[in-house]
Amino acid sequence: MKEKDIYILGIETSCDETAAAVVKNGREVLSNIISSQIDIHEKFGGVVPEIASRNHVEAISHVVEKALVEAKMELKDIDAIACTYGPGLVGALLVGVSYAKALSYAAKKPLIAVNHIEGHIAANYISHPELEPPFLCAVISGGHTHLVHVKSYDKFTILGKTRDDAIGEAFDKVARVIGLGYPGGPKIDKLAKQGTANIELPKTYFDNLDFSFSGIKTAVINLHHKNPEVNHADLAASFEKAVTEVLVQNTKKAAKQFDINVIALAGGVSANSYIREEFEKLGQEEKYKIYYPQPVLCTDNAAMIACSGYYEYMNGKTAGLTLNAIPNLKIAYENEEK
Ligand code: KG4
Ligand code: ZN
């Protein structure tokens, strides 16, 4: 007998995107609505937490409604409601958590608490239906740079992480200093294509699998301040090359150390075209299988939250109405192998 289809409504409000999505059986996206606040935060050069919360409050009802309409579903057809409860900006997270709790109570549907980082990893399951754990995942976003051993759908070990800036944060800061605006990642990606990586920058490696990007970032900023005439496209290309080299080298070291030959990228920075190319090269050289989500699933979205929520739901992990936002939430089984 065919198993019953499971429909999850996902809600994501951890930073500056208000998002809702309906996903069938964990991997089939029926709708994926994203209301971005980028235009609003752009004039401040970064996300202003209180403004983000206020905009989530305004947008969330319409975004959730639209996700249901586009999926041609009503709340009664949904099996469970999954929401991001951390990590992220507390005021922003609270909007999604409170909204999801109210929906869950009113519609008598189970509530599922999803970790945003686990959501980013899960985006790969949507883009690559054949992908299954175990694999190694480099979670590279505005807030995180983690090398994660994904042991199963709900068991993760962090093998290495940044000791200072997240990689996306470094992209955004460099972009701001050279006058590209917010968010900087996509702008550096574009500008770097017009330049040559001809500037040597200091790269930091540790004995373990941790990262540091502040040295590269500071060197770029100092170069610009000392010589504002420096070619910005060359600077962008050199910056991108340096951070990518550190990322690729550490990932390769982890893959060898833990004998893993399937590598996935996740998070906003995994939309970067140069990083993707370099990982493809690594895959060819070392015979690794390389995965990354389609661009719209790299940056914050709710389809990835619904997908991660599906696996939680299938494992019987539902949350109660006492669920709260946890801004510094860690991922499961952290540091077990360190
Ligand atoms: O995953 P995400 O949407 O939010 C967090 O969870 O942090 O990631 C946002 C980050 C920003 O730092 C943004 O500049 C970066 O992802 N980003 C990129 C690109 N697209 C987005 N960085 C480099 N190249 C890109 N194409
Ligand atoms: Zn994110």
Side-chain angles (χ1 to χ4, degrees):
M1 203 177 79
K2 186 178 174 296
E3 285 192 18
K4 181 190 171 305
D5 290 326
I6 302 292
Y7 297 91
I8 308 282
L9 170 67
I11 296 178
E12 155 65 39
T13 63
S14 68
C15 190
D16 59 347
E17 327 279 357
T18 317
V22 177
V23 173
K24 180 179 169 185
N25 298 331
R27 305 234 178 186
E28 191 184 331
V29 179
L30 302 186
S31 64
N32 187 23
I33 309 298
I34 304 169
S35 167
S36 175
Q37 304 175 7
I38 284 179
D39 296 352
I40 300 163
H41 298 284
E42 206 173 6
K43 43 183 175 295
F44 302 102
V47 179
V48 183
E50 188 188 324
I51 296 178
S53 311
R54 288 174 181 276
N55 281 285
H56 286 311
V57 168
E58 248 175 63
I60 193 152
S61 314
H62 305 294
V63 169
V64 170
E65 181 66 30
K66 211 167 160 196
L68 288 168
V69 169
E70 215 166 90
K72 299 192 176 51
M73 301 197 84
E74 290 179 33
L75 203 48
K76 66 174 174 41
D77 310 318
I78 296 290
D79 292 281
I81 299 159
C83 70
T84 306
Y85 75 116
L89 302 169
V90 67
L93 288 165
L94 281 170
V95 177
V97 168
S98 306
Y99 198 86
K101 281 165 73 166
L103 275 188
S104 153
Y105 180 73
K108 300 189 175 57
K109 301 288 179 184
L111 178 68
I112 303 167
V114 175
N115 180 310
H116 184 78
I117 302 176
E118 296 176 15
H120 272 303
I121 296 169
N124 279 288
Y125 299 136
I126 300 173
S127 293
H128 308 285
E130 75 282 13
L131 177 65
E132 286 185 25
F135 57 92
L136 178 66
C137 188
V139 183
I140 45 176
S141 72
H144 303 93
T145 310
H146 286 357
L147 272 179
V148 182
H149 188 176
V150 182
K151 294 178 163 172
S152 68
Y153 286 107
D154 63 350
K155 288 198 172 48
F156 309 86
T157 304
I158 296 190
L159 306 178
K161 58 172 140 183
T162 182
R163 294 193 183 179
D164 39 57
D165 291 349
I167 187 165
E169 207 179 335
F171 269 92
D172 292 339
K173 282 186 188 157
V174 164
R176 187 159 62 196
V177 170
I178 64 174
L180 296 178
Y182 173 85
K187 292 178 177 158
I188 290 202
D189 192 349
K190 211 167 147 199
L191 182 65
K193 288 195 196 331
Q194 297 158 28
T196 310
N198 52 10
I199 304 166
E200 199 49 46
L201 296 166
K203 292 175 281 270
T204 309
Y205 292 98
F206 298 104
D207 288 344
N208 64 8
L209 296 163
D210 282 351
F211 297 92
S212 165
F213 295 107
S214 71
I216 302 174
K217 175 200 71 183
T218 309
V220 171
I221 295 174
N222 287 344
L223 271 166
H224 169 77
H225 285 322
K226 276 192 203 130
N227 175 16
E229 302 302 310
V230 64
N231 184 302
H232 282 174
D234 291 349
L235 203 53
S238 306
F239 166 76
E240 213 176 59
K241 182 165 182 266
V243 291
T244 306
E245 204 174 300
V246 173
L247 188 64
V248 169
Q249 287 309 321
N250 255 14
T251 309
K252 186 172 153 184
K253 190 168 150 192
K256 293 210 179 295
Q257 200 171 320
F258 292 90
D259 197 21
I260 308 170
N261 57 14
V262 179
I263 297 173
L265 302 175
V269 182
S270 62
N272 184 275
S273 51
Y274 179 75
I275 293 179
R276 288 169 174 236
E277 275 168 29
E278 290 303 299
F279 271 89
E280 289 292 353
K281 275 191 208 157
L282 173 72
Q284 278 163 14
E285 282 162 21
E286 299 289 333
K287 308 259 178 307
Y288 296 150
K289 266 188 119 43
I290 306 290
Y291 292 97
Y292 37 79
Q294 64 213 77
V296 67
L297 297 177
C298 287
T299 43
D300 291 348
N301 66 87
M304 69 185 198
I305 301 304
C307 173
S308 182
Y310 168 80
Y311 290 103
E312 295 275 307
Y313 178 76
M314 297 309 271
N315 283 332
K317 288 196 206 157
T318 55
L321 287 177
T322 52
L323 180 69
N324 209 336
I326 304 184
N328 58 355
L329 182 67
K330 304 284 186 282
I331 76 174
Y333 296 92
E334 188 164 18
N335 290 337
E336 196 186 71
E337 275 177 22
K338 281 195 121 180

